[in-house]
Amino acid sequence: MSSEAPKAPENGQDQSQAPAWQPPRLEKQVAARASPQLEKILEDGHGRIYARSVKGKFDNIRILMIYFTQIIFYGLPWLQWNGRQAVLFDLGARKFYLFGMVLWPQDVIYLAVLLIISAYALFLFTAIAGRLFCGYACPQSVYTKIMMWIERKVEGDRVQRIRLDEQPWNFKKFRIKFTKHSLWILFSLWTGFTFIGYFAPIRELPGHFMALTLGPWQWFWFWLYSGATLSFAGFLRESICRYACPYARFQSAMVDDDTFVVSYDYVRGEPRGPRSKKVDHKEKGLGDCINCSLCVQVCPTGIDIREGLQYMCIGCGACADVCNQVMEKMGYEQDLIRYTSGRAISERLTQAEARKRMFRPRVLIYISLLVIVTGVLIFSMLTRDTLKMNIIRDRGLLGREVAGGLIENVYRLQLVNTAEEPITIQISAEGIANILIKRADNGKDMFVLPPASTEQIPVVVQIPYDSGLANGMHPITIRAQSVSEDNRKSVASDTSNFYVPN
């Protein structure tokens, strides 16, 4: 977000000529400096952050999103579907179970389309409301919020945590720290356990854990995901958002003056400064910001939103919640910090006027692409055939003459049944007159394909010796068709060559 604004007055200028507001993202305040403690935080690149707890509309939304996302993450592996785990990515068997759908390696196109949809959705949400995903659904933000909640329950709020860290080590401090880190570790281990439960039947995992019989890769991913949860959400926290997250770096390319982001209304708030509640701050030439620094204290990444939009801001709205509480106590109009666009602040647009500008051409293009690609994916999955086939030619034996005046070629049909019920298959061949096909092991042209399975069926294709075909290769098509009592048919076919020997 960018906006033209005059610079703050130079040190030698008359302060009485300073504008009624200070521009964002430029020099720090001259007329109204922050407190020494806040200045230390702002000047220090990244010190220890003790985020203060806050209650409000946006915090409630974050909590609801935490419940929503974590109920799905921790609960989904335990759901059952047709006697099996509803969601299971069985890498060993190369099958992905998604409720009533079974995906095979041949269905990797669906994963590619899903990634495209995710990218378009990310572009769309960022263009509309900035780092909305970061603030409310990103695993790093969600787990950090959970770890901070545990920390507050054990150590207390911001002031208590600061005092605890400053005091020398004693039994009480050791007990509190030990309790907090024990809860963090238990939560991280449960998260790692749930993660590998998406790749192995989760109801069998407790027994394997007790017997220490997990496979090497299961142990590897269990400890890796548990350790990542503990270190990223428990210790590194905001450092991941500030220094490691690539999304924080390129979001500025997707945000413009009409994007809704958490913004400080510098026109209303400046010049900031402390004052008594009984004093008419307008008569004293002050803005609505009382320079309490609470917006900095509640920020999980430790930024000052009054300096303008910064890449470290995750858009959680904690500063807006605490500022509204301060405005209410002072008797001022709320939403000094709010979700709005840069244009709305600089041009003094109402929220309704700003929302009208939200659906600009780039947003409409993102929406159109998202709808089209999502529609194609849904249509493709709904009309997806449950039967797939590939022909594998027996290269060791191209063709031969057999009894009965026939020429015979041998093939293997790799058949995949993606349905969860067995299907009866009938095979046929075409492309050459009087062509016959049958199983090599029992001479039949019908067989049953088990549910959610892949099978290699040996078949022989025969033609009469006196068919009049020249020596060499001749194209044929082999077809596999399901035989269903309810007239629902699945058909798969593939092409190959029939070799006529000399």
Side-chain angles (χ1 to χ4, degrees):
M1 185 188 306
S2 60
S3 57
E4 294 287 333
K7 290 187 177 181
E10 301 292 339
N11 291 338
Q13 280 186 288
D14 182 6
Q15 296 297 323
S16 63
Q17 299 301 317
W21 50 270
Q22 299 290 336
R25 290 181 294 160
L26 299 176
E27 293 84 2
K28 288 186 172 65
Q29 308 305 318
V30 176
R33 300 295 289 179
S35 64
Q37 295 83 358
L38 178 57
E39 283 300 313
K40 184 178 184 303
I41 294 175
L42 295 176
E43 291 170 5
D44 182 13
H46 182 204
R48 175 73 183 275
I49 294 176
Y50 295 88
R52 181 184 184 130
S53 63
V54 61
K55 297 294 182 183
K57 175 174 64 176
F58 298 112
D59 185 67
N60 291 336
I61 295 175
R62 290 188 75 193
I63 292 174
L64 287 175
M65 286 301 298
I66 288 174
Y67 278 117
F68 175 72
T69 56
Q70 299 315 293
I71 286 175
I72 292 177
F73 176 73
Y74 292 105
L76 201 55
W78 296 95
L79 291 180
Q80 295 291 295
W81 187 278
N82 290 338
R84 60 160 174 82
Q85 192 167 313
V87 177
L88 177 63
F89 306 117
D90 192 344
L91 298 179
R94 289 183 287 184
K95 300 179 189 176
F96 285 3
Y97 297 97
L98 298 175
F99 296 96
M101 185 179 299
V102 183
L103 300 179
W104 296 78
Q106 298 91 326
D107 298 315
V108 69
I109 183 64
Y110 294 122
L111 176 60
V113 175
L114 187 61
L115 292 176
I116 293 173
I117 291 174
S118 301
Y120 282 140
L122 184 66
F123 298 156
L124 174 63
F125 295 147
T126 304
I128 292 177
R131 295 179 68 176
L132 198 63
F133 172 76
C134 294
Y136 298 94
C138 173
Q140 172 65 23
S141 300
V142 168
Y143 290 142
T144 297
K145 181 79 171 175
I146 294 174
M147 292 294 198
M148 292 172 65
W149 177 82
I150 295 173
E151 186 177 61
R152 280 196 296 269
K153 290 297 182 181
V154 176
E155 295 186 355
D157 205 358
R158 182 174 184 271
V159 175
Q160 288 86 351
R161 296 201 303 275
I162 293 175
R163 290 175 178 171
L164 180 67
D165 286 348
E166 290 178 347
Q167 74 181 44
W169 280 95
N170 52 38
F171 177 76
K172 179 181 178 182
K173 181 175 180 178
F174 174 80
R175 175 179 57 81
I176 294 175
K177 291 291 185 180
F178 178 80
T179 302
K180 180 187 76 172
H181 287 93
S182 297
L183 293 175
W184 279 5
I185 292 172
L186 288 175
F187 172 74
S188 301
L189 293 177
W190 180 248
T191 303
F193 172 85
T194 303
F195 176 75
I196 65 172
Y198 280 92
F199 301 91
I202 197 169
R203 300 194 177 203
E204 301 174 7
L205 286 181
H208 290 300
F209 265 99
M210 298 297 293
L212 300 178
T213 56
L214 288 179
W217 283 109
Q218 290 175 325
W219 281 119
F220 172 79
W221 285 107
F222 168 72
W223 289 114
L224 179 65
Y225 203 82
S226 300
T229 303
L230 178 63
S231 57
F232 288 3
F235 296 100
L236 296 178
R237 293 186 183 177
E238 70 285 341
S239 297
I240 300 298
C241 302
R242 293 171 66 107
Y243 306 124
C245 178
Y247 182 44
R249 296 302 193 273
F250 67 74
Q251 67 146 343
S252 58
M254 297 185 285
V255 171
D256 56 32
D257 279 346
D258 292 309
T259 301
F260 268 53
V261 293
V262 180
S263 305
Y264 166 66
D265 191 342
Y266 53 86
V267 177
R268 225 187 89 189
E270 301 298 331
R272 70 185 78 148
R275 80 291 303 271
S276 170
K277 182 179 180 181
K278 299 178 181 179
V279 174
D280 186 350
H281 63 289
K282 299 295 185 182
E283 291 184 359
K284 295 185 65 176
L286 294 174
D288 286 355
C289 179
I290 67 173
N291 206 31
C292 62
S293 80
L294 290 179
C295 56
V296 182
Q297 296 180 28
V298 300
C299 180
T301 57
I303 67 168
D304 189 345
I305 193 63
R306 296 171 298 180
E307 296 296 316
L309 179 63
Q310 300 155 68
Y311 76 87
M312 296 86 76
C313 176
I314 63 173
C316 65
C319 53
D321 282 337
V322 75
C323 187
N324 281 338
Q325 294 175 6
V326 173
M327 293 296 102
E328 183 179 2
K329 292 178 181 178
M330 296 297 296
Y332 299 165
E333 181 185 354
Q334 293 201 348
D335 293 333
L336 178 62
I337 300 176
R338 63 186 183 275
Y339 271 95
T340 191
S341 66
R343 194 184 306 276
I345 292 178
S346 61
E347 299 182 9
R348 311 313 295 161
L349 303 178
T350 64
Q351 289 292 83
E353 293 171 335
R355 291 191 189 99
K356 289 180 181 178
R357 300 186 63 93
M358 183 185 297
F359 294 97
R360 50 207 184 277
R362 63 184 294 194
V363 171
L364 297 178
I365 292 173
Y366 290 150
I367 293 175
S368 300
L369 291 174
L370 193 59
V371 170
I372 292 172
V373 177
T374 303
V376 169
L377 177 64
I378 293 174
F379 176 79
S380 176
M381 296 184 76
L382 291 177
T383 58
R384 169 173 171 262
D385 207 326
T386 58
L387 181 62
K388 302 177 186 295
M389 183 182 71
N390 289 308
I391 300 176
I392 304 173
R393 184 178 177 83
D394 189 345
R395 298 187 181 276
L397 183 62
L398 290 178
R400 62 187 178 186
E401 294 183 27
V402 296
L406 299 173
I407 300 175
E408 180 179 273
N409 282 202
V410 180
Y411 305 85
R412 287 187 179 273
L413 305 184
Q414 185 177 36
L415 292 162
V416 178
N417 178 17
T418 63
E420 292 197 88
E421 59 273 346
I423 55 177
T424 301
I425 301 296
Q426 184 172 32
I427 53 176
S428 60
E430 57 188 37
I432 299 176
N434 300 318
I435 191 170
L436 298 173
I437 186 172
K438 59 185 178 180
R439 288 189 60 154
D441 50 359
N442 59 17
K444 298 180 179 179
D445 64 352
M446 294 185 66
F447 51 89
V448 176
L449 197 60
S453 65
T454 179
E455 299 258 339
Q456 283 198 4
I457 308 297
V459 298
V460 293
V461 177
Q462 300 172 336
I463 64 171
Y465 181 77
D466 56 356
S467 59
L469 293 177
N471 299 338
M473 295 291 186
H474 299 271
I476 63 170
T477 299
I478 298 179
R479 190 181 309 277
Q481 179 173 307
S482 66
V483 180
S484 175
E485 295 179 356
D486 54 7
N487 295 323
R488 290 184 304 170
K489 295 186 181 298
S490 296
V491 179
S493 63
D494 197 9
T495 59
S496 186
N497 290 306
F498 186 91
Y499 177 71
V500 177
N502 292 328

